[in-house]
Amino acid sequence: MAPTRKYMKAAGMIAGATCLCLTAAGCSSGGGPASTQTKGVTIKATMAGDPPPKAALDAFTKKTGIKVNWTTVDWDSLQTKISAAATAKTYFADVTDVDWSRVGQLGKLDWFYPMEKYLNTKKMAKDMPQMDSFTLDGHVIGIPEDASFMVTTVNKKLFAKAGIKKMPTTIGDYTKDLKQIKSKGVVKYPLNIPFAAAEGLSTYWYQTTGAFGGTILDGKGRPQFTSPDSAGYKAAQWMISALKNGLVRPGSINVADSEGQQTLMAKGTAATTFSDYSGNVGSLYNIPKSSTVTNQVEYIPTPGATGVAPNLNNPDGVGIPKKAKYPNAAAKFIKWLTSAKKEADFAGANGKDKVQPGYFVPSRLSAMKELTNSGHLDQGKKLSDMLESSTKPVFPQGAPSWYPEFSQAVYTNLHAAATGSKTASAAIKAMSEKAKQLASGS
Amino acid sequence: MGLALIPAAFTIVQSFFTVQPLNPPTRFSGFDNFRRLFSTDAVISSIGNTGLYIVIGVVLSTVLAIFMAVTLQKNFFGRSILIAIMVLPWALPGVVEGIVWANIWNSNTGLLNSLLTSAHLIDNYQVFLGQHRLLTILAIEIVQVWQITPLSTLLIMASLQNIPNDLFEAAELDGSSPWATFRRITLPLIRPGITIAMVQALIQTLNVFDQPYILNGSATAGSSLTMQTYFISFQNLDFGEGYALSLLMAVATMVISLGVLKLVYRPVEF
Amino acid sequence: MRGRTPWLRRIGVLFIVLWSLVPIYWVLNISLQTDAQMSAKPAHYVPPTPSLNNYLSLLTGGGNVPYSIRQSTINIVIECSAATIVTIVLASLAAYSFARMKFRGRNVLFYTVLATMAFPPYITLIPLYRIMTFLGLVNTYTGIVLVYVSGFIPLATWILYNYMLSLPIALEESGQVDGASRMQVLWHVVLPLARPGIVSTAIITFIFGWQQFLFPLVLSSDISTEPLTVVIAALQGKHTVPYTLLSAAGVLAIVVPAVIALALNRYIVSGLLKGSVK
């Protein structure tokens, strides 16, 4: 059939032409090997936050000859991008986010350059207490960029309304105060726990477990929360019974961490968040545009089983992917970005025009102190004291490579217990089974 | 076309291999991936959830689409604007759609709670999402139906426009009631359009991801199979198992599509 | 019949308007409020003090946002238009050959094309990313358009195939008797007849492209190719979600598809009329 053959020929030609285009494009722009060049190059920084002010970046370019192309991607999407690039072994940026929880996984994938190869990380660690959250097998794979850690926030006005003047120092007192606020009718549901099945629920439980005086996993990755008198077990039970006893709003089963802070804490419908983000007082609760509780919320030392408990680290860092085109230039940029001077500038110590939007709590103690002394960080003294003395990594040996899967088991099971589709003990059992299975590598 | 076929072929082959970047090298492992899938509770419960999403989504979107398409069948004043309005839900980006609907279902400040309270139908704000499995899945699936129905409507409209007008005129002359005309003429003759619409809805609902993930997190009571492929592949970095699940989903899609084709499709000639 | 249908149609019209517009109205409503207003209980059904602040900070505010919104709007329009054109050209050829020509392996090929629709998109991401890296097409319009085209062709082919099947074959046959080639028949006879189908397929393809998020997220690496959807998602902070700002961005994102639907609609409608007059 002649017409058919003619058509097929035409189709074949189109297909052939397409292939040709593809190959031509492929030849013209293949990714070359990494270059140690630092002058006259443009590096890509793909980050979860907004860029520093243009003037600052321009000054960096002028000083070093390195141009920076900064791309902002929201945090969740960025993690997907990093996973895709790391598994396809593809270049996508010279500098990008390293989250503490993925240090094990990305470290084992060998996706980030060891930073000690480029920077004096030993010296930096003295000013950056959270460096250990990015250290795996002696290698530093990310430099802490901000100092995020978990901290208890209380709405002092609501506590005072219930007749509570002295802030609780133990978790027993804390629970008693919550009940008092509820029974006095100050607010219906005093405690904010984000029970949505998402990472924020796991983080909340880690912090609560720390407060009860325990750890999640031991050095070999084995669960430490199996027995009913372990801290992790008690912490999970405390959270779930707070919901069952009406201390937490029933709708919280669908509220994620930031949503709870924005819609409950910042609106004064919850009186306290046991595991809140450091910096939220200045960045959220004291901002009249988004909050009705300005100047009411304060950080308090974490109430623990017997006294003050640690604050668990939850920081983001910056690192250089192995497929980076200009790793040396990237290292120079990271050094600049995380310098004490720039961190203080970006967080607002030296005038509004130097601020990097969304950047509140510097990773360097010295920058934090400068910011506090100049009066630019709300309750900065408390935060820098905590950062200096009471912050602690969730996993002292670094997050295991199977952390994401474990964390998912944690939050889906805690969520199931909260909704009542599982008992608390069945949920904890499922969590520990998962940890055992993952730790044994099967 | 190669761009669609190569990944598909890749998926089929790799689903019989252990592909774990954290545990190299890639090696043949027979049906190991499939075995592991069926021993994972989250996967098992997602099969049930996805089944519910499919049934609710396909039925609801098809019924609504037929209703809308028939409404828009004849020319009337404002019809073209109405078609544009009908298409809008489909054009809203996923991230915004999630926020809008979270705002509607929200147990603290949601529109639905607010409306029900204003109408004095409820006294206290209710929790719609997360508490009862069926209610949660229904609420999530309505969001997806809202998004996919415009396409189904367009597909059915395209089919409607092929029906010669004389058929309707003849029916009218015979004194056939609108319902009888719909049953005897419209419905049989738009079967091709309904088939495409249903298969398209099937593919969309079988792959539901954004709506449950944004509205209900990874909670077991609402998570879908696509969410599991995402977690298994991108979170646990177990690509072999992810490919295996995808392969099963693809096979399920084809089998159910063929079923729909057999049940619904009839060639139409005018 | 004329006497009885209008009330049914009125219900239908009312339903379409409410069903489609209430959630959209809700985005618009929230986009004109402040964060404090949107969490009022009961909700404000109309903005108490309507303000364009959210729009202003997206379009003219400080920082990188206005530039990103502008550039990514240009990107998404280019990517969706190119993908639509290429998809329609290839899908018309394919649909025509499936509908009108018998060749060996026709059914196998047809069902293979359809079967590719069945694979969950997430799973093809990594293989596609590798192919695109190999071809050097990451972060290029070409790469994104190619991926869209490969994703949209099956559905477009199927819609057009069904459409062409329903066209009267007599005209084509007379064309062939007159000695026109297949391509000439396709160009002069089939395509004009199939115009309503082609326009609606084009709208469908364009809007599919408009919704894409995951593939462009991974396949673009900076603002030179990122579509609007990716930039909108990036407005979410790490610890806070700016609900009212995102709502305003959503309203902006819906403008182009709405305009296209409104403008091309007349096309579909006129096509419909022509089709029924024949």
Side-chain angles (χ1 to χ4, degrees):
Chain A
M1 220 177 133
T4 311
R5 234 177 278 132
K6 207 185 240 169
Y7 167 74
M8 291 307 273
K9 217 160 136 195
M13 272 166 67
I14 293 173
T18 320
C19 289
L20 214 69
C21 292
L22 291 183
T23 356
C27 291
S28 61
S29 64
S35 155
T36 53
Q37 207 176 333
T38 62
K39 282 246 178 331
V41 301
T42 300
I43 58 168
K44 269 189 190 167
T46 305
M47 305 292 290
D50 286 327
K54 195 170 173 302
L57 286 175
D58 287 347
F60 172 73
T61 307
K62 209 169 159 204
K63 199 175 83 184
T64 59
I66 301 167
K67 263 191 144 161
V68 182
N69 177 353
W70 180 293
T71 300
T72 306
V73 179
D74 63 291
W75 193 86
D76 286 313
S77 307
L78 181 55
Q79 303 308 316
T80 304
K81 242 175 125 81
I82 294 171
S83 288
T87 45
K89 305 233 177 291
T90 288
Y91 167 76
F92 81 104
D94 301 277
V95 174
T96 194
D97 177 272
V98 187
D99 184 66
W100 72 268
S101 69
R102 305 192 69 215
V103 163
Q105 197 180 54
L106 295 168
K108 198 168 171 193
L109 274 180
D110 200 21
W111 175 240
F112 284 108
Y113 277 110
M115 287 307 297
E116 71 271 11
K117 201 176 139 193
Y118 297 98
L119 303 174
N120 187 346
T121 50
K122 285 225 171 69
K123 192 174 149 224
M124 291 169 97
K126 290 197 183 104
D127 201 24
M128 294 177 163
Q130 295 182 317
M131 188 80 96
D132 47 2
S133 288
F134 297 97
T135 309
L136 190 79
D137 303 331
H139 296 299
V140 177
I141 66 168
I143 302 294
E145 196 212 1
D146 65 358
S148 179
F149 50 86
M150 307 319 292
V151 60
T152 305
T153 50
V154 295
N155 185 318
K156 281 222 161 150
K157 195 175 159 201
L158 296 176
F159 270 63
K161 261 195 189 166
I164 303 161
K165 291 274 153 56
K166 191 180 157 288
M167 288 302 122
T169 52
T170 66
I171 201 140
D173 290 344
Y174 184 75
T175 316
K176 218 163 49 194
D177 291 348
L178 291 173
K179 288 181 179 155
Q180 189 168 331
I181 297 170
K182 184 174 171 80
S183 65
K184 293 247 165 115
V186 177
V187 286
K188 210 169 169 191
Y189 305 112
L191 179 60
N192 167 34
I193 302 182
F195 267 112
E199 187 66 29
L201 180 56
S202 298
T203 316
Y204 208 104
W205 177 63
Y206 305 147
Q207 170 69 1
T208 315
T209 299
F212 273 94
T215 52
I216 309 292
L217 305 171
D218 71 2
K220 294 207 167 72
R222 288 173 304 209
Q224 299 299 297
F225 51 87
T226 317
S227 128
D229 47 76
S230 64
Y233 198 104
K234 285 188 204 158
Q237 257 184 341
W238 179 81
M239 287 166 65
I240 291 158
S241 50
L243 180 74
K244 302 273 159 195
N245 297 336
L247 297 176
V248 176
R249 210 174 61 91
S252 292
I253 53 168
N254 248 304
V255 171
D257 46 3
S258 54
E259 189 190 348
Q261 292 148 11
Q262 274 178 273
T263 61
L264 302 174
M265 269 307 272
K267 307 294 180 206
T269 54
T272 173
T273 301
F274 190 74
S275 174
D276 207 332
Y277 290 124
S278 52
N280 261 357
V281 168
S283 63
L284 177 63
Y285 304 138
N286 282 351
I287 306 286
K289 214 183 108 202
S290 49
S291 159
T292 58
V293 295
T294 45
N295 299 319
Q296 296 172 15
V297 181
E298 288 189 6
Y299 304 113
I300 61 167
T302 311
T306 51
V308 172
N311 302 81
L312 294 186
N313 288 338
N314 187 35
D316 277 276
V318 275
I320 309 170
K322 279 271 166 77
K323 286 280 167 183
K325 285 186 180 152
Y326 306 105
N328 294 58
K332 277 197 164 175
F333 178 63
I334 291 177
K335 187 178 177 194
W336 175 83
L337 190 74
T338 58
S339 66
K341 174 83 182 66
K342 286 301 142 196
E343 286 197 346
D345 279 359
F346 297 156
N350 300 307
K352 279 217 163 101
D353 53 324
K354 291 186 176 155
V355 167
Q356 177 184 3
Y359 187 79
F360 296 101
V361 187
S363 63
R364 281 182 182 268
L365 267 177
S366 53
M368 189 96 126
K369 283 182 176 153
E370 187 187 338
L371 202 61
T372 308
N373 294 338
S374 62
H376 289 95
L377 179 62
D378 292 14
Q379 300 173 40
K381 175 83 174 64
K382 284 184 190 171
L383 286 179
S384 49
D385 285 353
M386 283 189 228
L387 177 61
E388 190 163 14
S389 57
S390 68
T391 52
K392 199 178 116 177
V394 178
F395 303 112
Q397 289 79 16
S401 62
W402 39 265
Y403 173 79
E405 193 174 352
F406 169 68
S407 173
Q408 190 187 23
V410 169
Y411 61 70
T412 49
N413 278 295
L414 288 178
H415 174 85
T419 60
S421 63
K422 252 187 195 168
T423 63
S425 61
I428 297 167
K429 187 155 184 280
M431 283 150 55
S432 64
E433 290 301 317
K434 191 65 171 186
K436 279 179 200 158
Q437 176 212 332
L438 291 167
S440 71
S442 72
Chain B
M1 206 106 343
L3 285 176
L5 289 178
I6 294 169
F10 194 81
T11 303
I12 297 172
V13 174
Q14 298 272 59
S15 60
F16 297 98
F17 283 77
T18 296
V19 190
Q20 299 173 347
L22 290 172
N23 178 17
T26 297
R27 54 200 180 270
F28 183 74
S29 56
F31 286 93
D32 199 39
N33 289 324
F34 296 91
R35 254 198 306 277
R36 265 185 297 140
L37 277 178
F38 286 105
S39 63
T40 310
D41 293 342
V43 172
I44 303 292
S45 64
S46 295
I47 293 177
N49 294 340
T50 307
L52 288 170
Y53 285 125
I54 293 172
V55 172
I56 298 172
V58 172
V59 171
L60 206 58
S61 69
T62 309
V63 170
L64 288 176
I66 295 174
F67 178 53
M68 293 192 195
V70 171
T71 301
L72 294 166
Q73 182 181 2
K74 293 209 174 140
N75 202 5
F76 56 86
F77 179 73
R79 170 168 170 255
S80 67
I81 290 174
L82 199 61
I83 296 177
I85 288 175
M86 187 273 302
V87 172
L88 279 185
W90 189 30
L92 203 63
V95 50
V96 183
E97 184 198 48
I99 284 176
V100 175
W101 281 89
N103 257 316
I104 292 176
W105 299 136
N106 192 298
S107 60
N108 188 36
T109 54
L111 173 64
L112 185 60
N113 266 314
S114 182
L115 284 174
L116 291 173
T117 314
S118 299
H120 299 288
L121 290 171
I122 53 171
D123 293 329
N124 288 312
Y125 276 27
Q126 303 293 311
V127 182
F128 298 110
L129 288 168
Q131 239 156 17
H132 307 284
R133 184 175 177 212
L134 207 61
L135 182 65
T136 306
I137 287 180
L138 180 69
I140 292 171
E141 189 49 40
I142 284 179
V143 181
Q144 196 184 26
V145 167
W146 185 74
Q147 191 199 34
I148 65 178
T149 303
L151 174 57
S152 300
T153 311
L154 281 185
L155 293 173
I156 294 175
M157 279 172 69
S159 212
L160 263 177
Q161 76 195 13
N162 285 326
I163 305 178
N165 228 3
D166 18 329
L167 280 179
F168 291 109
E169 281 159 15
E172 203 177 337
L173 284 176
D174 289 348
S176 161
S177 75
W179 176 243
T181 310
F182 173 74
R183 288 252 333 254
R184 290 196 354 250
I185 299 175
T186 313
L187 210 49
L189 293 182
I190 55 170
R191 275 168 173 249
I194 295 179
T195 312
I196 314 181
M198 283 180 78
V199 170
Q200 178 59 24
L202 171 77
I203 292 174
Q204 299 281 348
T205 51
L206 206 127
N207 287 305
V208 62
F209 183 96
D210 291 357
Q211 292 86 358
Y213 192 62
I214 294 175
L215 295 169
N216 199 35
S218 326
T220 325
S223 65
S224 67
L225 279 173
T226 321
M227 279 165 69
Q228 300 305 333
T229 63
Y230 176 75
F231 294 139
I232 291 170
S233 314
F234 279 82
Q235 176 192 282
N236 308 348
L237 303 185
D238 188 343
F239 288 98
E241 202 180 325
Y243 292 132
L245 183 52
S246 303
L247 180 61
L248 293 179
M249 288 172 68
V251 170
T253 311
M254 285 184 246
V255 170
I256 308 175
S257 302
L258 281 179
V260 171
L261 217 65
K262 276 251 161 359
L263 266 172
V264 184
Y265 183 74
R266 300 285 179 277
V268 172
E269 301 236 353
F270 301 108
Chain C
M1 183 172 165
R2 283 223 170 82
R4 269 173 291 166
T5 28
W7 68 265
L8 202 73
R9 184 190 289 153
R10 245 174 261 157
I11 294 178
V13 170
L14 189 71
F15 176 80
I16 293 175
V17 170
L18 288 180
W19 166 261
S20 308
L21 287 190
V22 167
I24 305 240
Y25 169 73
W26 206 242
V27 200
L28 185 68
N29 180 30
I30 287 172
S31 73
L32 298 171
Q33 300 188 15
T34 65
D35 277 330
Q37 288 166 342
M38 72 156 280
S39 52
K41 228 169 145 175
H44 293 292
Y45 299 114
V46 289
T49 53
S51 136
L52 290 175
N53 277 345
N54 289 313
Y55 294 93
L56 291 178
S57 58
L58 285 175
L59 296 174
T60 60
N64 265 4
V65 173
Y67 169 70
S68 304
I69 297 269
R70 272 199 311 274
Q71 181 61 41
S72 63
T73 307
I74 297 172
N75 293 341
I76 196 173
V77 169
I78 292 175
E79 287 155 8
C80 291
S81 312
T84 305
I85 293 167
V86 178
T87 302
I88 292 296
V89 169
L90 295 180
S92 306
L93 287 172
Y96 181 65
S97 57
F98 286 130
R100 289 292 189 253
M101 281 181 263
K102 305 243 176 321
F103 54 87
R104 189 173 298 180
R106 189 189 88 142
N107 285 337
V108 175
L109 191 58
F110 184 56
Y111 285 110
T112 314
V113 169
L114 292 187
T116 58
M117 282 202 299
F119 279 89
Y122 281 90
I123 210 68
T124 57
L125 185 62
I126 296 287
L128 264 182
Y129 194 22
R130 283 198 176 142
I131 296 171
M132 287 300 161
T133 309
F134 175 75
L135 298 173
L137 292 175
V138 170
N139 206 27
T140 61
Y141 286 144
T142 318
I144 291 173
V145 169
L146 269 179
V147 169
Y148 286 2
V149 168
S150 73
F152 304 155
I153 273 188
L155 182 69
T157 306
W158 199 17
I159 298 173
L160 288 172
Y161 164 78
N162 273 283
Y163 200 87
M164 288 179 181
L165 268 191
S166 73
L167 294 175
I169 203 160
L171 277 174
E172 291 168 54
E173 281 165 354
S174 67
Q176 266 166 334
V177 170
D178 292 346
S181 73
R182 274 280 178 190
M183 287 309 264
Q184 282 170 325
V185 171
L186 179 66
W187 185 251
H188 292 292
V189 182
V190 180
L191 289 184
L193 276 177
R195 199 166 69 177
I198 289 174
V199 172
S200 54
T201 312
I203 293 181
I204 288 168
T205 309
F206 189 90
I207 295 186
F208 259 125
W210 198 266
Q211 291 174 340
Q212 295 302 311
F213 176 75
L214 182 74
F215 284 89
L217 169 74
V218 171
L219 291 174
S220 61
S221 52
D222 61 38
I223 190 65
S224 64
T225 56
E226 276 176 345
L228 185 59
T229 39
V230 172
V231 167
I232 288 180
L235 294 172
Q236 302 174 87
K238 192 187 163 201
H239 292 323
T240 48
V241 181
Y243 297 101
T244 56
L245 192 73
L246 277 169
S247 301
V251 173
L252 291 181
I254 218 171
V255 168
V256 172
V259 167
I260 285 178
L262 259 176
L264 288 187
N265 230 300
R266 293 163 199 285
Y267 246 92
I268 305 181
V269 174
S270 72
L272 287 173
L273 290 175
K274 258 182 220 149
S276 54
V277 163
K278 87 167 185 248

